[in-house]
Structure formats: C-alpha cells, structure tokens
C-alpha cells in the first residue's frame, strides 16, 4: 500500500499544481481577454473618442456638479461658461477661470432645443461634441461578452468531442454514452411471478441472499459468484428470472442489450462497458443484466485467419477487465447475462471469477406448464369446464412465452365469438393455431384432393395408434391450415421426452411414412403431399446412423456434431466420401424396409382406414378417441399404457422385424415387437 501511495504522489502533486488552470478555464480566459483588450486599447487608441473628450479634459482638474438644464442656460447667458460639450442626452459645461477652481457642470439635455446653439454663438462660447460611452461598458459589451460567448460554445463542443473520442459518459449525438441504452429500475417481479423452473430459481436464490445480507457470507470467507449466465431456449423466461432476482433482493436493476454496445466507431463499445459498471458501482448493491450477451461475447478465435471484429473484441476485452476489476466485498455488483447460444461464447468469459456459474432455464415440464398457465390466467375469465391439465398435456415441448400466447389467443377467440367466458374449445383451437397454423376454410379444394388428403391423414393416424412407441393421436383434420398444410394429424405426447429409444425413432418414421403408404394402397398413385414427411423421416434415419450410433454402417462412430442446441440444432459433418456413399445406401435401404412394413400394416387395417376416411370427408375433423374406437371396431390393436422408457426389447425380435418379408400374420407380429 505504501508503494502505491508513493507511486501516486507525483501524480497527485502534478494534478494539484494544474488544478487551478484545469478547473477554471473560463476564468482564465476572461482575465486573458481583459488584458488583451486593454493592451489593444493602449496600442490603438480610439481617436474620435479621445478627441471629443480631450477638449473638456484640457481645462484641467475640475469639480463636477450636476444641475438642471434651465440653470445651465442661465449660466451661459450670464457669461460664466467657457466651453460646452454637447452629447446626445447630456451637456457638459466648463466654467471660466475667475481665480477659483473650475467647475464642470453636467445637465440632461432637453431635446429639441434650437435656441442653445444660437445662444452659444451669441455669447462667443466655444462648443463641441462629447462621447457619452462608458469605457468599462464599452469593453464589456463590445469585446468581452462576444468573445466569452464564442469561447463557451467552443469549449462545449470540444468537451463533447473529447468525450466521444476518449470515452466518458457523453459524446456527439450520445456516442460513447450508455446512459440512454441502460434501463435502470427496481423491478416489482418476484419469484412467485415466475412459474416453473424451480431448479433455476434455487440456483439464483443464493445471489438474492448475498445481496440482502453480504456480511453473512463475507465473514465466512465465501465469495459469491461475480457472474451468473442464464442459458436456455428462447421464451423460457431468462429475462424474467433476472428481474425476479433484483425484485427479491430489492436492489437496482441495470439492464442493457448486448447489441447496444456495438457502434460504427471503434472504442465506443468499450467506453459504454466502462460507463455501465461505473453507474452500477454508484448505486451498489446492484445487478447488471446483459441480454443476448453473445452479441459481444463471441469467441475471439472465431474470426478465422483473416482476423475478427476489432470493435467486438475490444468490447469483450473491456468486459473481461471490468468483471475482474470490481470487488463484490466493497460494492456488491453481480452480473447476470442471458443467451441461447452458450457454445459460441469466449472461454475467458466463462472461466471462474467471471461467469463462473451457468443456470439452465429450460422448457417447462408438465407440472411447470400447469404453474405457468395458472399464472397467465389470473386476469382471464375462463369457464369452469376448462381443465388446464388437458391444456398442459397438449402443449408438451412449448416454452413459457408460447403458453402465454396460447392463453391470449384463446381469449381473443372467445372475444371474437362474443362469449362471456373462455371455453375449452377456445383453448384447443389456440393450441392448434400455435402448432399447425390458422385454419384456411376459404381455401377451395376439389373433391379429389380432399379424398387424397383424407386417406393421407388416416394413414398417419392409424400408424400412430397401432405402432409401439409412437405418439398418440389427439385430433385428425382435413381442414387446411398454415401456408401449405391441406390437413394434419395432431400427435401430442403427455410429457416432455428427453430420451428416445431406437424403437421410438423407428415408430416415428413409420408414422411419417403412413401418409404416403395410404395413398399408394388406397388410391394407387402417390402425390406431392408427402414431401415434408419424407424429409423428416430421412433426417431421423440419418441421425440414427450419424449421431446416435444406432446402425451398423458407422457403429459407435459419430459422424456429425450437433451445435446450437437451443436454436434448432445445426450439425457439422465429419466423414469421408466413402462413408457418405455407404450412409446414403443405408438410409435408402432402411426407408424402403420400413415402407414395406408400413404398407403391410395399412393393408391389415384397410377397413378402419376406409371408415376413418369416410368420416373425415363428412365432418372434416375427428378426435383421437374416435380414431382408437374405429381401429378397435375393425379388429385392430391399439397400444396403450406403455412405459416407453423402461420397456426392454428383444434384439432378435427387432432384427427379425427389419428383415421380415413373410406372411401377413408374421408381419403383424413383427410390427408389434418393434414399433
């Protein structure tokens, strides 16, 4: 500490020596201006002013006396005046030297008075003009004030330019400042307002405890995490969780978007980072929340051999330095950040001491969805018949923002129909809108196309119910929805699925192939309606071979690496051309094998599909319960009540199913063992 003080002393002395000049530039300028003006007056005197006033001054030292204009005229008439100086508003007269001291009389002139000059000439009194201007006011208003105003404007502009170039809190047009980008508030959001994600709330609860009572942790030598990174898919409530932390702790909440730091000028982002942390220290304890931090926190190695983005890297480096620079013991400032792309962040940002804790804010499970729905229906008038558990079952895999949108959409539908309350049908329609899109009842479809669509969707529905491991049918419709869907089969799992077994993936492929197979079996010709189904089926079979190690083509070798797990999941391929050919052959062969199995299964349930198609053509929509009834009425087997995660399969049965090309009964048994 002594060394630091000694090192700082020269700087302090230097600063003290320059304080007066640095802190009072305007005062110094005024003094300099006055000295300059007086020097100028001395070098270049005003000849006219001096000439007019020197006539009076030539009579020597006088006694000044103020009289009225009438008294002055009486003195002129009596011959006691020797010289008269006439101004615009004043008249000065010098008395004669009668052995006594001269007197300078000053009177306010009465205008107009045409008798004055003739009287002076009659009495033989010399006269002239005088300047009434005050030297001080002349200097002040004629010289100092204009220069002072010019200097003030100039200093203002220079100061703004310096701040814009060197940082600080200002800058021309706000460049370099983060005050306008920062939203500073004390949120009223509590943990109770954020339903679901109990684990995430428990992870950040100790941050709240530290902000409320930091001494309890400091005396034990514990160090609270300086940064907490919230990761998860879009719409899961990362920002809401950060506000809830600030609301529970009752501290200042400074939020800013990651994109707000980047400008076209180099160095502005780093300046705004410094400004952000300075503001946080002033209002500590506080929480800094940086939303979408991947905008400035991308890995510096991602620029490639040609270099990266200098501005973004400078901003990131400044952020790293700031997070190392402040002490949470003296000024509790905790940084929260949110992103849905954690894999692209710089490793230096994620190390302990910076963002040393990552909290996953994932999509809610069944219980979490019920809690979220209960939170969002507080202000919505719903019918007593509405069962939120059923809505939660239909919305598996949706985030909190999706659920809020579904409730709002249901309320809009009820209001459009002029209902008093939101009914279950409104919720079901809202879910279908969220998943499949808007109904296009005005879209005219020919009877031939309606028949094709009906057979197509019936094929999907039957395969979903008779296949082991497939998602159950909730609804089948031939009403056009969205941009291109002429019909759809709504398969909704009752719970989120975090694992899928091999037979479940194959079952999903079979269901996807069911539409095309139904067209071939019952119509005799295929259409273009199965394009998306084939694309999804191909991707599943390819992923089984390249990512999950579920084929003999690559064994346990992973051929593709998945990235951006929260944003749809992109893959990076890493295999040879020879492997690519073998992979293509494998995908083609597997799809053909599954297609033959599906064809046989649909032929076995021909009567059920025919009846389902006729009902669809008549009423356009049938429920999942009715689908299962139709299959059972015609002797089909519907799989129900299966524990998909604990049920073990016989490998020999699976292998036999893939290679089966036997009788009708054998094919049906194989389908039941694998699907």
């Amino acid at each position: 500490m002594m060394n630091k003080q000694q090192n700082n002393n020269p700087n302090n002395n230097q600063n003290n020596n320059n304080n007066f000049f640095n802190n009072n530039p305007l005062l110094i300028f005024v003094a300099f201006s006055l000295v300059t003006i007086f020097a100028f007056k001395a070098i270049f005197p005003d000849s006219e002013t001096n000439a007019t006033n020197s006539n009076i001054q030539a009579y020597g030292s006088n006694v000044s006396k103020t009289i009225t204009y009438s008294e002055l005229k009486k003195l002129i008439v009596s011959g006691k005046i020797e010289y008269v100086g006439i101004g615009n508003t004043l008249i000065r007269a010098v008395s004669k030297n009668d052995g006594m001291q001269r007197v300078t009389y000053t009177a306010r002139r009465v205008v107009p008075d045409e008798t004055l000059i003739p009287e002076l000439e009659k009495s033989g009194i010399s006269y002239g003009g005088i300047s009434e201007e005050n030297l001080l006011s002349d200097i002040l208003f004629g010289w100092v004030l204009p220069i002072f105003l010019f200097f003030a404007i100039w200093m203002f502009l220079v100061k703004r330019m310096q701040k814009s170039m060197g940082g600080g809190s200002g800058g021309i047009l706000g460049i370099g400042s983060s005050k306008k980008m920062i939203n500073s508030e004390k949120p009223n959001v509590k943990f109770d307002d954020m339903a679901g994600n109990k684990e995430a709330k428990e992870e950040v609860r100790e941050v709240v405890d530290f902000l409320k009572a930091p001494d309890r942790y400091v005396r034990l030598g514990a160090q609270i995490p300086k940064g907490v990174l919230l990761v998860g898919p879009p719409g899961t409530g990362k920002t809401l969780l950060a506000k809830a932390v600030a609301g529970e702790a009752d501290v200042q909440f400074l939020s800013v978007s990651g994109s707000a730091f980047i400008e076209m000028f180099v160095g502005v982002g780093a300046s705004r980072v410094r400004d952000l942390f300075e503001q946080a220290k002033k209002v500590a304890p506080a929480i800094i929340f940086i939303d979408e931090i991947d905008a400035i926190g991308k890995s510096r190695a991602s620029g490639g051999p040609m270099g990266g983005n200098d501005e973004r890297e400078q901003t990131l480096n400044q952020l790293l330095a700031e997070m190392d620079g402040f002490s949470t013991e003296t000024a509790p400032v905790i940084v929260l950040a949110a992103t849905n792309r954690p894999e692209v962040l710089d490793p230096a940002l994620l190390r302990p001491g910076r963002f040393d804790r990552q909290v996953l804010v994932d999509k809610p499970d069944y219980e979490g969805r019920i809690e979220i729905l209960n939170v969002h229906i507080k202000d919505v008038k719903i019918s007593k018949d509405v069962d939120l558990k059923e809505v939660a079952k239909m919305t598996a895999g949706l985030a909190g923002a999706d659920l809020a949108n579904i409730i709002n959409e249901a309320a809009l539908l009820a209001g459009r129909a002029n209902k008093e309350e939101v009914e279950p049908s409104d919720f079901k329609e809202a879910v279908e809108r969220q998943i499949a899109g808007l109904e296009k009842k005005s879209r005219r479809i020919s009877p031939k196309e309606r028949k094709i669509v009906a057979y197509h969707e019936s094929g999907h529905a039957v395969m979903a119910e008779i296949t082991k491991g497939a998602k159950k049918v909730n609804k089948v419709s031939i009403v056009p929805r969205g941009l291109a869907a002429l019909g759809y089969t709504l398969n909704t799992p009752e719970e989120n699925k975090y694992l899928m077994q091999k037979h479940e993936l194959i079952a999903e492929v079979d269901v996807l192939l069911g539409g095309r197979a139904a067209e071939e079996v019952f119509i005799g010709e295929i259409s273009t309606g199965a394009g998306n189904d084939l694309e999804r089926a191909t991707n599943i079979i390819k992923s089984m071979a390249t990512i999950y190690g579920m084929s003999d083509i690559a064994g346990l070798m992973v051929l593709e690496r998945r990235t951006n797990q929260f944003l749809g999941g992109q893959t990076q391929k890493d295999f040879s051309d020879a492997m690519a050919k073998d992979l293509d052959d494998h995908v083609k062969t597997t799809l053909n094998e599954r297609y033959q199995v599906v064809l046989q299964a649909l032929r076995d349930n021909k009567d059920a599909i025919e009846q389902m198609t006729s009902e669809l053509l008549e009423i356009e929509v049938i429920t999942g319960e009715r689908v299962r009834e139709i299959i059972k009425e015609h002797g089909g087997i519907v799989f129900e009540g299966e524990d998909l995660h604990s049920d073990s399969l016989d490998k020999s049965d699976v292998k036999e199913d893939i290679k089966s090309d036997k009788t009708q009964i054998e094919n049906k048994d194989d389908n039941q063992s694998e699907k």
Side-chain angles (χ1 to χ4, degrees), residues 600-616:
Q600 188 59 50
L602 294 181
R603 293 189 183 102
D604 297 339
N605 294 271
K606 182 177 180 180
D607 296 337
I609 291 180
E610 290 287 359
Q611 183 172 347
M612 197 178 304
T613 302
S614 63
E615 292 188 10
L616 281 174

Side-chain angles (χ1 to χ4, degrees), residues 35 72 124 228 259 296 302 327 378 447 509 511 519 555 604 623 637:
V35 172
L72 180 60
V228 179
S259 60
I296 60 173
S302 61
S327 174
K378 289 181 179 179
V509 172
V511 174
E519 294 180 17
D604 297 339
T623 62
I637 300 176

Side-chain angles (χ1 to χ4, degrees), residues 175 261-269 272 311:
I175 297 173
F261 293 102
I262 305 300
E263 287 281 357
M264 63 180 291
F265 300 101
V266 177
V268 172
R272 289 177 176 172
E311 169 65 0

Side-chain angles (χ1 to χ4, degrees), residues 32-50 53 131 133-144 147:
F32 177 77
S33 301
L34 291 175
V35 172
T36 305
I37 290 170
F38 279 111
F40 184 80
K41 289 286 187 181
I43 298 173
F44 303 100
D46 191 344
S47 60
E48 183 180 354
T49 302
N50 291 338
N53 294 329
S131 176
E133 296 180 358
N134 190 354
L135 179 61
L136 183 60
S137 63
D138 183 22
I139 293 174
L140 183 61
F141 295 103
W143 291 82
V144 176
I147 298 177

Side-chain angles (χ1 to χ4, degrees), residues 407-454:
I407 292 178
N408 184 60
E409 191 69 32
L412 292 176
L413 290 171
R416 192 177 302 165
N418 200 19
K419 298 180 179 179
E420 296 294 331
E421 296 176 334
V422 184
E423 300 176 353
S425 59
D426 299 320
F427 279 98
K428 195 166 186 178
E429 175 66 20
V431 172
E432 293 176 11
R433 284 192 174 195
Q434 182 73 27
I435 297 175
L438 295 174
E439 284 188 349
K440 302 288 185 179
K441 294 184 178 181
S442 61
R443 185 179 297 172
R444 298 185 63 182
I445 303 175
S446 64
K448 178 182 177 182
E449 289 182 344
R450 288 182 79 249
K451 189 175 181 180
I452 295 173
V453 174

Side-chain angles (χ1 to χ4, degrees), residues 207-361:
V207 175
V208 177
D209 294 338
F210 175 76
L211 291 172
K212 285 185 176 181
D215 296 338
R216 186 169 57 183
Y217 294 89
V218 172
R219 72 169 181 260
L220 297 175
Q223 293 184 355
I224 203 69
K226 289 185 178 181
V228 179
L229 184 64
L230 308 177
V231 300
T236 52
K238 298 184 292 292
T239 304
L240 185 63
L241 179 60
K243 286 187 177 181
V245 172
E248 288 285 341
D250 193 24
V251 297
Q252 202 70 22
F253 183 74
L254 287 78
S255 61
V256 62
S257 175
S259 60
F261 293 102
I262 305 300
E263 287 281 357
M264 63 180 291
F265 300 101
V266 177
V268 172
S271 169
R272 289 177 176 172
V273 171
R274 289 192 296 269
D275 191 35
L276 173 63
F277 279 85
E278 288 176 2
Q279 293 187 51
K281 292 174 185 176
K282 291 178 182 178
V283 297
I287 289 178
I288 295 176
F289 177 65
I290 305 175
D291 201 6
E292 306 296 343
I293 195 174
D294 51 274
I296 60 173
K298 288 183 181 178
S299 175
R300 289 165 289 184
S302 61
M306 300 301 293
N309 190 322
D310 290 339
E311 169 65 0
R312 191 181 67 221
E313 291 184 4
Q314 283 191 18
T315 306
L316 175 59
N317 291 336
Q318 186 63 44
L319 178 62
L320 298 177
E322 290 290 342
M323 293 191 70
D324 276 343
F326 68 87
S327 174
T328 56
E329 297 178 2
T330 58
V333 177
I334 295 177
V335 183
L336 300 182
T339 182
N340 43 38
R341 300 180 65 192
E343 67 277 352
V344 304
L345 296 180
D346 196 276
L349 197 62
L350 302 178
R351 75 153 176 84
R354 291 186 179 124
F355 287 108
D356 43 7
R357 178 171 297 184
Q358 297 187 25
V359 177
L360 176 61
V361 188

